[in-house]
Amino acid sequence: MMGLLVGVAAGYVLGTRAGRARYEQLSKAAKAVAASPVTKKAIEVGRQKLADSLSPQPKLEPMKPIDETTTIMIPRDQLKK
């Protein structure tokens, strides 16, 4: 019976060490992906698209300046592309 308990205890200790090592490996990989400039840019673009779609105000684009102080504005969705 004592041998069984020693075996279970040894298996538990070795298993937790292996699990911790794998956790550290996954944690490092996740941090590297999160710190990546590509990931940050993708998040920024996604947030901007979401904000644009949820905004009740249409985004206005300058269409044609009349003079130095006056510019006609038109909503983005009405621009001819």
Side-chain angles (χ1 to χ4, degrees):
M1 184 66 168
M2 193 59 135
L4 178 63
L5 290 175
V6 170
V8 169
Y12 175 78
V13 169
L14 294 175
T16 56
R17 283 188 186 165
R20 182 68 183 181
R22 181 67 178 150
Y23 168 79
E24 292 296 333
Q25 183 183 20
L26 291 172
S27 178
K28 283 182 184 180
K31 287 177 184 176
V33 168
S36 165
V38 174
T39 303
K40 289 181 181 180
K41 184 65 176 174
I43 290 171
E44 180 184 327
V45 167
R47 285 181 178 168
Q48 187 60 48
K49 284 185 179 183
L50 181 62
D52 287 346
S53 69
L54 296 176
S55 175
Q57 297 293 327
K59 301 295 179 203
L60 300 177
E61 294 286 335
M63 190 169 164
K64 181 167 48 168
I66 295 175
D67 57 29
E68 292 180 13
T69 59
T70 308
T71 302
I72 297 176
M73 306 293 271
I74 187 169
R76 280 187 193 164
D77 59 350
Q78 294 178 8
L79 282 175
K80 294 179 183 176
K81 293 181 180 182

